[in-house]
Amino acid sequence: MESLLRLQYSAGDPVAATGAMRSIIGTAQVSARGDAFTWEQVSLVDDGITVTSIHSRGDNVRVHISGASELLVALVQAGEVVLSTGGMKARLGPQGLGLIPISADAELRWSSARLQFLAVPAAPLARLLGVPRTAVRLHAPRIAPCAPELAEYLRRIAHTLTSAAFGTPAVYDRDLIRAGTIDLFAAVIIETFELTNRSEDAADRDTTVIRRAIAEMRARLTEPITIPEVAEAAAVSVRGLQMAFVRTLGVPPLLHLRQLRLEAARAALVEEAKVGTTIADIARRFGYANSGRFSTHYRNEYGEAPSATLQRIRGFEAPVSTPAPDADPGADFARAEARYGTPGTPGPDGVTGATAASS
């Protein structure tokens, strides 16, 4: 049995259009002035993501949504739509993207427009933003994308979802693919609209979080490790870990993990240069399957190829001092601050925040 349910509606008045909208957004209310009103709607309904395409014309068409039960992304394909929610307003032209947070009231207005609603339930957002055993209180500081590059990527993911994934049920019905697709889409929405778990917005825990994260990174420099595993060790979500690193050090945790591995690799090169170690051995030990990629990162960091380091040490030249790979987390934190600077919390973008709760 296919997981997607297709619903198609055609309405000639706002009352019938309201019925169509409520099949996918239970609190929606459609209104318009005059008799020149048309409404065509096609919905692909899924337990994870629902995509609804609407083509409508009329005099001052309005769609009111009260307490959205899911996170909604509006993607305008033609025409112009004005979105208002949480005291914020966005004017969306063709290819424009707008956000309606969970539990928010919203209004969309247009005269002639073709648009999509992409609805994401709380569960995948909680998986990506949540800390185990705590409820997610979703914070949505903006209703328009934070960067054009992310907006374009979200449009591409939405197109892939609606055309490739939904268009091939035999593929999308496979649970592993389906779960990965939903999580990818939710992750891109989180980054595009800078969604956070409100409990992780405060910066007063950043130092503790980073110390825990660095300790976990150091303990597993020679083991496979993922950023979600680091976040779990630091008792925060992946998004919370990223925010702590960026707020305090100005770099994401993945880049800092790479830096720690490069430092340990350099120390190993220096220590083992005269016992026949190879660059490939060191690269593999510290997580690089490709020694060429390791050499590129090493050269970018230290201004010389790892082979030059080996040759210099074997030639009895004095090595450049390197941090001990077993340095304590406090020393790591201080060195990271010195290396990257302390940028602090990014300044406000001038947009008033909006809050929605989910559990």
mmCIF file of all heavy atoms in Angstrom, residues 327-344:
data_model
loop_
_atom_site.group_PDB
_atom_site.id
_atom_site.type_symbol
_atom_site.label_atom_id
_atom_site.label_comp_id
_atom_site.label_asym_id
_atom_site.label_seq_id
_atom_site.Cartn_x
_atom_site.Cartn_y
_atom_site.Cartn_z
ATOM 1 N N ALA A 327 45.669 17.295 25.715
ATOM 2 C CA ALA A 327 45.439 18.503 26.505
ATOM 3 C C ALA A 327 44.053 18.459 27.127
ATOM 4 O O ALA A 327 43.126 17.898 26.569
ATOM 5 C CB ALA A 327 45.574 19.741 25.611
ATOM 6 N N ASP A 328 43.933 19.082 28.320
ATOM 7 C CA ASP A 328 42.638 19.027 28.987
ATOM 8 C C ASP A 328 41.648 19.954 28.296
ATOM 9 O O ASP A 328 42.039 20.902 27.589
ATOM 10 C CB ASP A 328 42.783 19.407 30.460
ATOM 11 C CG ASP A 328 43.162 20.875 30.610
ATOM 12 O OD1 ASP A 328 42.246 21.704 30.670
ATOM 13 O OD2 ASP A 328 44.379 21.182 30.649
ATOM 14 N N PRO A 329 40.320 19.728 28.466
ATOM 15 C CA PRO A 329 39.317 20.532 27.768
ATOM 16 C C PRO A 329 39.406 22.018 28.061
ATOM 17 O O PRO A 329 39.144 22.844 27.203
ATOM 18 C CB PRO A 329 37.987 19.939 28.270
ATOM 19 C CG PRO A 329 38.320 18.539 28.678
ATOM 20 C CD PRO A 329 39.717 18.608 29.200
ATOM 21 N N GLY A 330 39.805 22.374 29.315
ATOM 22 C CA GLY A 330 39.924 23.793 29.635
ATOM 23 C C GLY A 330 40.994 24.465 28.805
ATOM 24 O O GLY A 330 40.808 25.565 28.287
ATOM 25 N N ALA A 331 42.151 23.796 28.667
ATOM 26 C CA ALA A 331 43.216 24.352 27.839
ATOM 27 C C ALA A 331 42.785 24.396 26.378
ATOM 28 O O ALA A 331 43.090 25.353 25.655
ATOM 29 C CB ALA A 331 44.492 23.513 27.997
ATOM 30 N N ASP A 332 42.084 23.358 25.930
ATOM 31 C CA ASP A 332 41.553 23.353 24.562
ATOM 32 C C ASP A 332 40.644 24.551 24.319
ATOM 33 O O ASP A 332 40.731 25.223 23.292
ATOM 34 C CB ASP A 332 40.755 22.070 24.309
ATOM 35 C CG ASP A 332 41.616 20.962 23.745
ATOM 36 O OD1 ASP A 332 42.728 21.263 23.289
ATOM 37 O OD2 ASP A 332 41.166 19.818 23.747
ATOM 38 N N PHE A 333 39.782 24.812 25.274
ATOM 39 C CA PHE A 333 38.823 25.908 25.117
ATOM 40 C C PHE A 333 39.555 27.242 25.026
ATOM 41 O O PHE A 333 39.268 28.073 24.162
ATOM 42 C CB PHE A 333 37.847 25.910 26.288
ATOM 43 C CG PHE A 333 36.803 26.994 26.199
ATOM 44 C CD1 PHE A 333 35.680 26.824 25.408
ATOM 45 C CD2 PHE A 333 36.947 28.181 26.882
ATOM 46 C CE1 PHE A 333 34.726 27.813 25.307
ATOM 47 C CE2 PHE A 333 35.998 29.185 26.794
ATOM 48 C CZ PHE A 333 34.879 28.995 26.005
ATOM 49 N N ALA A 334 40.527 27.447 25.910
ATOM 50 C CA ALA A 334 41.283 28.702 25.892
ATOM 51 C C ALA A 334 42.041 28.861 24.582
ATOM 52 O O ALA A 334 42.093 29.950 24.005
ATOM 53 C CB ALA A 334 42.249 28.740 27.088
ATOM 54 N N ARG A 335 42.646 27.753 24.102
ATOM 55 C CA ARG A 335 43.386 27.839 22.851
ATOM 56 C C ARG A 335 42.450 28.103 21.668
ATOM 57 O O ARG A 335 42.787 28.839 20.748
ATOM 58 C CB ARG A 335 44.173 26.544 22.631
ATOM 59 C CG ARG A 335 45.178 26.656 21.478
ATOM 60 C CD ARG A 335 46.184 25.526 21.467
ATOM 61 N NE ARG A 335 45.568 24.245 21.167
ATOM 62 C CZ ARG A 335 45.364 23.296 22.060
ATOM 63 N NH1 ARG A 335 45.697 23.481 23.331
ATOM 64 N NH2 ARG A 335 44.815 22.140 21.716
ATOM 65 N N ALA A 336 41.255 27.508 21.717
ATOM 66 C CA ALA A 336 40.295 27.745 20.644
ATOM 67 C C ALA A 336 39.857 29.200 20.621
ATOM 68 O O ALA A 336 39.727 29.808 19.554
ATOM 69 C CB ALA A 336 39.083 26.833 20.823
ATOM 70 N N GLU A 337 39.639 29.776 21.807
ATOM 71 C CA GLU A 337 39.278 31.197 21.861
ATOM 72 C C GLU A 337 40.379 32.060 21.273
ATOM 73 O O GLU A 337 40.125 33.012 20.533
ATOM 74 C CB GLU A 337 38.996 31.616 23.301
ATOM 75 C CG GLU A 337 37.637 31.192 23.816
ATOM 76 C CD GLU A 337 37.296 31.887 25.114
ATOM 77 O OE1 GLU A 337 38.142 31.881 26.025
ATOM 78 O OE2 GLU A 337 36.191 32.443 25.206
ATOM 79 N N ALA A 338 41.621 31.720 21.615
ATOM 80 C CA ALA A 338 42.741 32.493 21.092
ATOM 81 C C ALA A 338 42.874 32.328 19.585
ATOM 82 O O ALA A 338 43.200 33.274 18.861
ATOM 83 C CB ALA A 338 44.036 32.064 21.783
ATOM 84 N N ARG A 339 42.590 31.101 19.112
ATOM 85 C CA ARG A 339 42.746 30.831 17.683
ATOM 86 C C ARG A 339 41.679 31.532 16.849
ATOM 87 O O ARG A 339 41.953 32.190 15.859
ATOM 88 C CB ARG A 339 42.680 29.318 17.434
ATOM 89 C CG ARG A 339 42.639 28.948 15.966
ATOM 90 C CD ARG A 339 42.532 27.448 15.758
ATOM 91 N NE ARG A 339 42.352 27.143 14.362
ATOM 92 C CZ ARG A 339 43.310 27.146 13.453
ATOM 93 N NH1 ARG A 339 44.530 27.449 13.810
ATOM 94 N NH2 ARG A 339 43.055 26.858 12.191
ATOM 95 N N TYR A 340 40.414 31.377 17.263
ATOM 96 C CA TYR A 340 39.314 31.875 16.446
ATOM 97 C C TYR A 340 38.848 33.270 16.849
ATOM 98 O O TYR A 340 38.079 33.899 16.143
ATOM 99 C CB TYR A 340 38.107 30.933 16.549
ATOM 100 C CG TYR A 340 38.401 29.510 16.158
ATOM 101 C CD1 TYR A 340 38.241 28.470 17.055
ATOM 102 C CD2 TYR A 340 38.847 29.200 14.876
ATOM 103 C CE1 TYR A 340 38.507 27.147 16.704
ATOM 104 C CE2 TYR A 340 39.118 27.881 14.513
ATOM 105 C CZ TYR A 340 38.944 26.866 15.436
ATOM 106 O OH TYR A 340 39.202 25.576 15.075
ATOM 107 N N GLY A 341 39.282 33.726 18.028
ATOM 108 C CA GLY A 341 38.713 34.949 18.545
ATOM 109 C C GLY A 341 37.451 34.614 19.316
ATOM 110 O O GLY A 341 37.031 33.470 19.419
ATOM 111 N N THR A 342 36.829 35.622 19.880
ATOM 112 C CA THR A 342 35.586 35.432 20.630
ATOM 113 C C THR A 342 34.546 36.363 20.048
ATOM 114 O O THR A 342 34.359 37.485 20.521
ATOM 115 C CB THR A 342 35.809 35.731 22.131
ATOM 116 O OG1 THR A 342 36.933 34.969 22.579
ATOM 117 C CG2 THR A 342 34.585 35.332 22.953
ATOM 118 N N PRO A 343 33.874 35.933 18.984
ATOM 119 C CA PRO A 343 32.963 36.839 18.287
ATOM 120 C C PRO A 343 31.743 37.211 19.093
ATOM 121 O O PRO A 343 31.113 38.224 18.842
ATOM 122 C CB PRO A 343 32.572 36.043 17.039
ATOM 123 C CG PRO A 343 32.758 34.620 17.431
ATOM 124 C CD PRO A 343 33.912 34.605 18.391
ATOM 125 N N GLY A 344 31.332 36.378 20.044
ATOM 126 C CA GLY A 344 30.121 36.678 20.796
ATOM 127 C C GLY A 344 28.885 36.371 19.994
ATOM 128 O O GLY A 344 28.923 35.856 18.885
#
